[in-house]
Amino acid sequence: MIVRNWMRKPISIAHDATLLEAAKRMKVNGSNWLPVVNGHNLVGTISVNDLKQAIVSEAPSLKIHDMLSVIPEIKVSARMDHNPEKVLEDRTIEEAADILLDKAIGGVSVVDGEGRLKGIIERQDILRVLISLSGLREKGLQVALKLVNRPGSVAEVEEIVRGYGCRILGMMSTFKEVERFRHVYLRLCKCDRTKLSEMTKDLQKLGKLLYVADLGENKTDFYGEYEPPMTERHIG
């Protein structure tokens, strides 16, 4: 999934605007940060914390509700982060999510190959992607299995679920060549729930069935103790 398909229109601020203008724009848009532009090019970011630090450094003895009045002439460029985190619009959502997690930030600017601001990706956008991938809105099933890591094991699972009329919305799998087992997560819809018990029995013949989450019935059936994958495993 590509960033440009999930990014939102950016609410930015010019580099020569004042901190007071930036604060007002953040308040109106309910944002904690803004991309800073010079023309169309991304040149920095300014956050609520940057504003607070500027206010305190300029007027440390004032109360918080009086502080903004003493800094109307300070420019955004004087207090912005000049090396903002960014992601190219043609990169994947996973890469954007990795930046947010690694840098412990709430959002990242999206740029094109020329450095022009094209959009923003925030944590709520990552959640939209997760919901889309999960099939939650389809009220289907999520099935998790632990399979022997061998060629064809996932195809066998797909054959079984399709045999019960299920449509496969998507699949994620942990994988490392050196490991004996892999976790597989299937998102299904259009399944005949009257045959769900039969389907689970057939799936158990292929590997360890971990759980079946019925998103339509809001319930999850666990098959023994659930063993989550190790954190260092890769999602493929």
Side-chain angles (χ1 to χ4, degrees), residues 1-8 87-96 110-111 120-121 125-126 128-129 133:
M1 306 184 86
I2 302 301
V3 166
R4 71 162 66 92
N5 296 327
W6 292 91
M7 68 185 185
R8 288 180 288 120
V87 63
L88 289 170
E89 62 178 340
D90 61 358
R91 304 308 300 171
T92 66
I93 282 292
E94 290 89 345
E95 291 171 289
V110 181
V111 297
I120 61 170
I121 286 286
D125 302 307
I126 304 300
R128 285 195 297 125
V129 174
L133 287 173

Side-chain angles (χ1 to χ4, degrees), residues 26-181:
M26 288 184 199
K27 181 178 180 180
V28 168
N29 292 282
S31 175
N32 291 322
W33 70 289
L34 293 170
V36 181
V37 293
N38 184 354
H40 295 292
N41 291 334
L42 178 72
V43 293
T45 57
I46 189 82
S47 69
V48 168
N49 286 337
D50 295 326
L51 296 179
K52 289 179 179 178
Q53 291 175 9
I55 294 168
V56 170
S57 65
E58 292 293 329
S61 63
L62 293 180
K63 294 182 179 180
I64 189 67
H65 59 271
D66 295 323
M67 288 182 177
L68 283 176
S69 64
V70 303
I71 57 167
E73 301 304 320
I74 300 177
K75 301 297 184 183
V76 168
S77 58
R79 294 292 180 172
M80 70 182 187
D81 179 356
H82 290 268
N83 296 294
E85 296 297 331
K86 55 185 178 292
V87 63
L88 289 170
E89 62 178 340
D90 61 358
R91 304 308 300 171
T92 66
I93 282 292
E94 290 89 345
E95 291 171 289
D98 190 50
I99 293 173
L100 299 187
L101 181 62
D102 184 57
K103 302 299 181 181
I105 55 178
V108 63
S109 300
V110 181
V111 297
D112 63 14
E114 303 299 321
R116 292 172 294 203
L117 180 67
K118 305 300 290 186
I120 61 170
I121 286 286
E122 295 185 310
R123 291 180 181 178
Q124 66 193 71
D125 302 307
I126 304 300
L127 292 176
R128 285 195 297 125
V129 174
L130 179 61
I131 289 173
S132 174
L133 287 173
S134 72
L136 178 64
R137 300 283 166 82
E138 297 290 334
K139 302 301 181 183
L141 304 174
Q142 184 180 109
V143 177
L145 304 101
K146 182 178 180 181
L147 302 177
V148 173
N149 188 8
R150 61 174 177 78
S153 60
V154 175
E156 292 170 354
V157 172
E158 293 176 341
E159 183 179 357
I160 284 179
V161 297
R162 287 195 175 102
Y164 283 93
C166 297
R167 176 186 170 193
I168 300 177
L169 294 172
M171 183 192 74
M172 290 193 296
S173 173
T174 61
F175 177 75
K176 272 192 174 181
E177 192 68 39
V178 297
E179 293 183 354
R180 184 181 175 190
F181 297 98

